[in-house]
Amino acid sequence: MPLIKQISLLVLFSTAVFAQEAIQYTFRFPAPQTHYLEVEATVPAGSPQLELFMAVWTPGSYLVREYARNVEAFEAISPSGAPLKWTKSRKNRWRIETGGAARVKVKYKVYAHEPAVQGNWVDAGFAMLNGAPNFMTVVNAEKRPYEVKLELPAAWAKSLSGMKRKPGEVHTFVAADFDELLDCPIYAGSAPVHEFVVEGKPHYLVNEGEGPMWDGPASARDVKRIVEEFARMFGGLPYEHYVFFNMIVEAGGGLEHKNSTWINSSRWAYGNNAEPAAPGAGGARGPSRHRWLNLVSHEYFHTWNVKRLRPAALGPFDYENENYTTDLWMAEGFTSYYGPLALKRAGLASQSRLLTDLSSAIHTLQTTPGRLVQSMEDSSFNTWIKAYRPNENSINTAISYYTKGEVIAILLDAKIRRLTRNAKSLDDAMVLAYRRFSGERGFTEDQWRAVCSEVAGADLSTWFNQVISTTAELDYMEMLDWYGLRFRPSPAGRRNVYTGITTRTGSANVTISNARRDGPAWLAGFNVDDEIIAVNNLRVGAADWPSRLDRYPDGEKLRVLVARRGELRTLELPVERRAAESWALEVRPDATKAQQDNLKALLR
Ligand SMILES: [Zn+2]
């Protein structure tokens, strides 16, 4: 095709895209205490039928959540105000007979009473809204601009979002396309907002629920240090502004977005009277502050890893179906590695706290039987039906890509550092992959492996195959040796009775909540939900289980009375003592100067 023709076609095409008329939304909160949001939208039409859809899931959280279940009182109205006929064509689609109108108005109500970070919340005090539960768009024509105008109750003074504000308007936001619209949660209320600037870009920490127990200015100063640390690592900030929606609502969890994150917190997490850091901890925060900062650091690192440097399968999104990828071990696991590592590098955590965090991932991995059943690829691909829909047997059949992915990152970082004699690290691989594959493209698993091999100056494909595609045990020797670390030896002589079962907490009864595959109780036929009533005819309760077992010698076969579905039965449980497994990393007392320097290079 001649160049001139290509150009004119391109111009035509771009004009067509940019000329798409916006869908204009208005959100109203006439009775916020009832948890309802009232939505009105003006939707360009032009054909006899208009089909709208709502997302069934929200990116970053891989579960079909059926947001349409909270929609009610749907109406479609012509420009003259006449009601239009409509039908549901799918669980999440509405088909409207437009009568040929150029645009139609739709109205509906959304029940918003799920404070989870993937949820949707409206109450008397504030609203925290995700895109997926609230917005509809036109089937096959979602690539268009959007406008969202908020009509706030008199007592609510503020609104914030990752979206840009419409020039000249206070509570109206604009999004260039449906992806941006769904990627930008909206807050409306009167929370304290702490603003700080990094690299000339404004950042907002919205502390909804900040009371006397939360030190707002101090929390903002710490968040700023996290931002500065990652800006240094990636050489800049890839957005115009960023919002940390910190909902202090006695809940947990966090969800990443391109230039915002929704985090749920406890009011006790960042207390004015928080527990002091240990003496000599080098500016480290107390344990609950540390957990909160770790969550902030994790979600913020996603600004790069997964929101911009993303698996090819995660974009453009199919909002009506599951989106499958085998790469979540990198998206989530590597983020779980950089979360605590950045806190140490930013001076917000001590070396020992970082080692505790990393040890925790290793301990969880090595004590989860499912690691021998499920590979990382499998864990990632099936997250929709496994990780996000766990049951009492998950511990035996599944391993989290957060957990094993983090451990793989620890090992890979050490490997690259050793192979390059500290000239390169996993940081270099992340930054190189980000430069090469961020934006519209996404990376394939092969491309990510190739980047790591390139940075390491060695072919890592065999190692990647082993740790990602198989369930083989991981080898820690190279990492331990490089940093001069070891797993803390167990206290000599102490061995506890091992049953392999976990019991429910918060009850006076002893009820089994899960049974580890091949543990003594599993092999003896104990079941989840069995209530343990007596051991050798003596009553036992939650208060003295499992210390009761300690009273019997190794090898004795205990007669354990259980109630199962209302029927009593006796099972035989052999007493088996095991030394506690230790996966706690510590610096070797005899670490060489070179090993100490290697660890310093990691921690900086
Ligand atoms: Zn994450």
Side-chain angles (χ1 to χ4, degrees), residues 79-154:
S80 64
L84 296 171
K85 269 196 191 153
W86 60 273
T87 51
K88 281 288 287 273
S89 50
R90 281 192 199 178
K91 63 186 179 182
N92 64 320
R93 286 190 179 193
W94 292 257
R95 187 182 294 145
I96 301 163
E97 307 295 332
T98 67
R103 35 192 87 73
V104 301
K105 192 171 275 186
V106 298
K107 290 182 174 184
Y108 51 93
K109 299 208 287 185
V110 179
Y111 181 64
H113 193 245
E114 195 184 354
V117 296
Q118 317 84 357
N120 207 28
W121 182 262
V122 175
D123 76 6
F126 71 100
M128 186 68 222
L129 307 170
N130 265 314
N134 296 313
F135 293 111
M136 295 180 187
T137 190
V138 180
V139 173
N140 295 327
E142 60 265 39
K143 277 271 170 209
R144 59 168 74 233
Y146 296 80
E147 249 184 63
V148 192
K149 180 179 184 178
L150 309 176
E151 292 184 7
L152 301 185

Side-chain angles (χ1 to χ4, degrees), residues 60 254-256 298-299 302 306 331-333 335-336 402:
L255 191 62
E256 67 276 8
H298 176 106
E299 299 306 335
H302 276 312
V306 99
E332 289 301 345
T335 303
S336 294
Y402 284 82

Side-chain angles (χ1 to χ4, degrees), residues 276-295:
R285 276 38 180 176
S288 56
R289 283 191 178 195
H290 177 73
R291 277 192 297 276
W292 183 75
L293 289 171
N294 205 0
L295 180 59

Side-chain angles (χ1 to χ4, degrees), residues 30-103:
Q33 74 280 6
T34 63
H35 311 295
Y36 274 95
L37 163 69
E38 293 194 6
V39 181
E40 184 178 308
T42 303
V43 185
S47 55
Q49 281 194 338
L50 182 69
E51 193 166 27
L52 303 179
F53 80 93
M54 184 174 248
V56 303
W57 69 288
T58 199
S61 185
Y62 307 98
L63 178 68
V64 171
R65 290 177 190 274
E66 311 292 20
Y67 290 113
R69 76 192 195 282
N70 288 318
V71 172
E72 64 184 75
F74 183 90
E75 290 176 77
I77 303 154
S78 76
S80 64
L84 296 171
K85 269 196 191 153
W86 60 273
T87 51
K88 281 288 287 273
S89 50
R90 281 192 199 178
K91 63 186 179 182
N92 64 320
R93 286 190 179 193
W94 292 257
R95 187 182 294 145
I96 301 163
E97 307 295 332
T98 67
R103 35 192 87 73

